[in-house]
Amino acid sequence: MIGPRKQNHYNLEFVDYKIFKLGDNLPFHSSSMFEYLIGSNGIFVRAVRLGLEVIIPVEIFTASIRGLEPIEPLVRLTPGRIPQQILIQMWKESCIAALAEPPLEITFHIHQEKGQWRLVIPEQTQSSAKCRAIEYGLDSSYINATVEVHSHNRMAAFFSGADDADEGGFRIFVVLGRVTESSAEIICRVGVYRQFWHVPADWIFELPSFIADVTVGGKKDDLISKFYSSSVAPSLLDDPIEL
């Protein structure tokens, strides 16, 4: 016998499922982790945290579903894009790490504080192929980060298998690459519990001219199909990485 459905303490579902019917307004967000939205054009996942609200695609329909409204992807940062000065500071620190012998990666955390973006360089372990914050407590910069950035020192900007294993929460994930060259690289994606969507870097940052966005496409219409999921086991974080 199936008993009555239990609600959590805050009367929120961890994961919810909502149909966006024709003529309705988009339903209010009401889940504590994320929720799936089903529209005429596909299935999307929505999540909200301090400083960030996203709606990203997880399945695009080849035919429109009658009786439903279409859903538009969304990436909304509050209080707006991250200032150029913060990105330049991360690039400078990445250059210092990349010029070490051997060249090192470095990680950064950005969170909202009193209506402004704040950069934190956490205590971390570093090597040529990985970097990782040491502190993961509830008050740590890792837990509070809206945006998590790491460098690939002298290598290109891309998301590796180790990144897929490590980046399992909800935030913006960013990689800086070729940081010692005249044109450094940046690539960004939204991650909602291992569901990812690449987004243009200028949605997230005020970009300086010497940092090139290497995201394929670069516009929302081009990127609508650039979503994917990852089930890479976190244990891979300790495996060697081929570069």
Side-chain angles (χ1 to χ4, degrees), residues 68-81:
L68 301 182
E69 291 279 2
I71 295 173
E72 281 286 322
L74 171 72
V75 179
R76 178 182 291 133
L77 285 164
T78 306
R81 293 189 300 167

Side-chain angles (χ1 to χ4, degrees), residues 41-61:
N41 56 334
I43 301 172
F44 294 73
V45 65
R46 176 166 62 178
V48 177
R49 63 175 296 168
L50 181 65
L52 181 62
E53 177 183 0
V54 304
I55 299 174
I56 67 172
V58 296
E59 183 68 39
I60 298 300
F61 298 152

Side-chain angles (χ1 to χ4, degrees), residues 125-138:
T125 59
Q126 295 172 270
S127 72
S128 295
K130 69 174 69 173
C131 52
R132 191 184 307 173
I134 295 172
E135 177 58 50
Y136 292 89
L138 292 178

